[in-house]
Amino acid sequence: MRIRGGRLPIGRNPAGASDEGASDEAASGEGTSAEGASAEGTSGEGTSGEGGSGESGSGESGSGDGQAAGGRGSAGTGTLSSPWARGAAALLAGALPALAFPAPGLWWFAYVALVPWLLLIRTAHSPRRAALDGWIGGIGFIIAVHHWLVPSLHVFIVLLAALLGLLWAPWGLLVSRLLGGSPSASRAVAAVVVVPSGWLMIELVRSWEGLGGPWGLLGASQWEVAPALRVASVGGVWLVSLLVLAVNTGAALLVADRAARTTAGVLLVVCALSVAAMWAWAPRPTDTGTVRIAVVQPGVVEGPGSVARRFDRGEELTRSLEGRGVDLVVWGESSIGAGAWERPETARRLAELSRRVGADLLVNVDARQTDGSGRSGIFKSAVLVGPDGPTGVRYDKMRLVPFGEYVPARSLLGWATSVGKAAGEDRLRGDRQVVMTLPDGARGLRIGPLVCFESAFPDMSRRLVRDGAQVIVAQSATSTFQDSWAPAQHASLGALRAAENGRPMVHATLTGISAAYGPRGERVGSPLGTDASAAEVFDLPLARGSTLYGRLGDWPVYGALAALAVLCAVEGLRALRRPAPGPPGPPARTAHGSPGRPGR
């Protein structure tokens, strides 16, 4: 006879036999498919006081780890019964969100891309399996989003993914705990809040510069979606990530559990209404005119003498801007070679260009210099050049690319330079951000420079705006990854930084993609693609006023920390209230040994 939902028909066995039978069925996986377990109540309903959401999750009942994780043996049946097949499924499921980022750009896919991964984790038969599904999926995510680093890192990409993937192991436990089995209404609400909060902690940790910086934050996939950019103005990219994860979690509940569908539907409606409220009531920047900024993109220049020929091409393109009334001309990262910068002739040529165009030039040089504190070494610097030559206003890059511009723990990992394109010599870091003021001819425009992947850090652009920057300018060079997704991913970050701070942003590169965005994150003009060698003029709308993100900063991160703290507190209280196990009862007696039913 088959018992569904862990319940017995009329005429229950004694308590000890009932518990044992329910545990045996849960361990065997009979009738507990991913949906059957949820729909039929096999998650232990009747063994806990809240549909399996409370005491049952810690292994209190006799079902052991399977009940703690919530999957109840589903992993042991069907095509995912093999650990290798399940691992491959986790790897693929973790890689799916990469399709939402440029260059594929399937932004809408981000709202369901995590559903397969969530559904897989919730069927894990033990906490260990749930953590493993999280780890393997994290490896898939890191490799898929950063696959364009393979030519530079080679085998290091696998090591990096394996290390960073560990961040998703606790998240796997969290998903299994909250989505496993048949969640009650309260547990479904907790899942839609806490599962995204756990993901946000992963994004926060890996945003540390030493771990590669905040590249591939899930909220960044929404860079061209106007409502999402509005959300970014309220809580930055962090709030957009929370929104995307909340929708994925609600969608997973809709698919996985029939009993939780009403609650999940309500929660998804709440998400939509929240976005509508932010769209309607969040402060908007006020337009105050326009500024004309030109970007010079020389394009791909290779072969002997490429540095000098790239400078010549940049000079030629800058001359073409004469008479166009530009207020600033921006060259890309490393637009002037170290050797050229040391020659007086270079300063003379740049000053002559500034006079002809009638605007200052913001160039970028990777050369040995001395900073204000007297340190000498290789700095990557943004330098403002006027009609009389370099003005002395300079910004030294503060956050360096691991392996690309320095090798962490070089004494241990220095051998990386022999197997990849790691930096042969460490660059030095700047010690402060700089806001540059242009001459009166450009109406005293104040610009905030960033270099390369510094545009990925939300706090840096926010600091520049708080210090008075009217326009954020990022100088970049992604020529190493010219034929990959990297140029499009990098350029898209400008939309988020502009929307977060209510200020326009220019992203200037050597070889594309160069682009400009208005103070709401909207695209301005036509971007220069990776096949272009041209100078483009952008009429950027200026704005005043501050966004909520500009005022409040990273408050979604603190909210996520608070949600996780509340969960830990609730789980701790439940553990304290749980009665201590009593003395073991007498061993069960079979029918053959029962004095009431002599064996036959």
Side-chain angles (χ1 to χ4, degrees):
M1 177 179 65
R2 181 178 178 183
I3 300 172
R4 302 181 67 84
R7 298 177 182 269
L8 292 173
I10 298 174
R12 295 176 181 266
N13 289 341
S18 174
D19 290 343
E20 185 179 11
S23 299
D24 290 343
E25 180 180 327
S28 66
E30 182 180 359
T32 55
S33 65
E35 182 169 348
S38 304
E40 300 298 336
T42 55
S43 63
E45 184 181 357
T47 64
S48 83
E50 193 178 347
S53 65
E55 287 76 15
S56 66
S58 61
E60 175 188 346
S61 67
S63 58
D65 288 343
Q67 192 162 349
R72 280 69 169 178
S74 300
T77 61
T79 57
L80 298 182
S81 58
S82 165
W84 292 103
R86 189 177 180 89
L91 193 71
L92 178 61
L96 288 177
L99 297 176
F101 293 92
L106 305 178
W107 64 265
W108 52 268
F109 185 58
Y111 293 94
V112 294
L114 290 170
V115 172
W117 194 3
L118 293 170
L119 294 179
L120 179 70
I121 293 175
R122 76 179 293 275
T123 64
H125 59 76
S126 69
R128 180 180 178 183
R129 183 70 246 185
L132 189 60
D133 289 342
W135 179 38
I136 296 175
I139 293 174
F141 180 86
I142 292 295
I143 291 178
V145 173
H146 300 83
H147 70 275
W148 42 271
L149 286 172
V150 171
S152 295
L153 296 184
H154 296 285
V155 70
F156 271 101
I157 189 66
V158 178
L159 177 60
L160 178 67
L163 292 175
L164 292 180
L166 288 171
L167 295 172
W168 276 270
W171 185 74
L173 292 171
L174 191 66
V175 170
S176 176
R177 178 70 181 84
L178 293 172
L179 294 183
S182 183
S184 64
S186 60
R187 187 147 61 100
V189 172
V192 172
V193 174
V194 178
V195 168
S197 298
W199 181 282
L200 198 64
M201 292 303 101
I202 298 171
E203 293 196 335
L204 179 66
V205 172
R206 70 184 186 88
S207 293
W208 179 49
E209 175 195 341
L211 294 180
W215 195 283
L217 304 185
L218 202 57
S221 65
Q222 305 304 295
W223 67 279
E224 55 184 338
V225 183
L229 292 172
R230 195 90 173 102
V231 172
S233 75
V234 174
V237 68
W238 313 112
L239 188 58
V240 183
S241 287
L242 284 175
L243 172 67
V244 173
L245 261 294
V247 173
N248 273 277
T249 306
L253 286 168
L254 282 175
V255 172
D257 192 78
R258 189 176 305 163
R261 286 176 184 171
T262 300
T263 304
V266 171
L267 292 170
L268 290 174
V269 170
V270 169
C271 289
L273 292 176
S274 299
V275 174
M278 285 183 272
W279 179 272
W281 293 310
R284 297 175 184 267
T286 303
D287 293 341
T288 60
T290 60
V291 63
R292 176 163 284 196
I293 296 180
V295 170
V296 171
Q297 179 178 298
V300 178
V301 180
E302 299 177 325
S306 59
V307 174
R309 288 187 290 115
R310 184 171 61 226
F311 182 91
D312 293 342
R313 179 58 177 160
E315 189 177 32
E316 177 186 355
L317 292 171
T318 303
R319 287 198 194 99
S320 69
L321 298 170
E322 186 175 357
R324 300 189 64 179
V326 297
D327 298 302
L328 176 69
V329 180
V330 183
W331 288 22
E333 179 187 10
S334 300
S335 48
I336 300 177
W341 184 249
E342 295 167 355
R343 294 195 294 268
E345 174 69 10
T346 300
R348 185 194 65 77
R349 291 169 67 180
L350 291 173
E352 193 272 335
L353 284 175
S354 177
R355 288 193 296 270
R356 290 189 62 168
V357 176
D360 281 15
L361 278 62
L362 185 67
V363 298
N364 192 280
V365 59
D366 195 3
R368 294 189 180 277
Q369 301 185 58
T370 302
D371 69 358
S373 63
R375 293 179 303 160
S376 295
I378 299 178
F379 289 93
K380 190 176 288 289
S381 306
V383 182
L384 194 64
V385 180
D388 299 322
T391 62
V393 180
R394 178 179 121 199
Y395 165 65
D396 297 324
K397 185 179 181 181
M398 297 174 61
R399 296 184 181 171
L400 305 177
V401 180
F403 293 99
E405 293 169 335
Y406 77 103
V407 176
R410 183 177 286 272
S411 59
L412 295 176
L413 301 177
W415 56 272
T417 59
S418 63
V419 297
K421 298 179 180 179
E425 180 180 351
D426 292 346
R427 273 51 174 171
L428 297 184
R429 304 170 188 271
D431 54 11
R432 64 187 179 92
Q433 291 189 257
V434 174
V435 174
M436 302 176 177
T437 302
L438 301 184
D440 292 339
R443 293 167 291 169
L445 183 72
R446 293 170 64 82
I447 62 171
L450 299 170
V451 181
C452 191
F453 92 142
E454 289 182 332
S455 64
F457 292 86
D459 64 302
M460 296 195 72
S461 55
R462 179 172 176 262
R463 175 61 185 268
L464 288 171
V465 172
R466 290 174 67 86
D467 288 345
Q470 297 169 278
V471 179
I472 305 168
V473 180
Q475 297 171 298
S476 176
T478 52
S479 53
T480 303
F481 313 105
Q482 187 73 359
D483 298 320
S484 71
W485 296 358
Q489 286 185 20
H490 200 176
S492 69
L493 297 174
L496 287 158
R497 303 292 86 86
E500 287 170 344
N501 298 284
R503 296 294 184 271
M505 180 163 180
V506 174
H507 181 79
T509 73
L510 289 180
T511 59
I513 298 172
S514 298
Y517 304 94
R520 297 170 183 81
E522 73 279 16
R523 196 195 302 262
V524 174
S526 300
L528 294 175
T530 54
D531 58 347
S533 175
E536 185 70 20
V537 176
F538 299 99
D539 290 315
L540 291 175
L542 296 175
R544 67 183 176 195
S546 59
T547 62
L548 285 177
Y549 176 72
R551 298 174 196 170
L552 304 176
D554 300 327
W555 65 266
V557 173
Y558 302 117
L561 281 169
L564 292 170
V566 169
L567 176 69
C568 291
V570 170
E571 292 295 326
L573 288 174
R574 283 178 174 167
L576 290 174
R577 292 174 181 174
R578 189 172 298 138
R589 302 176 67 185
T590 64
H592 291 277
S594 171
R597 295 185 60 188
R600 290 174 288 183

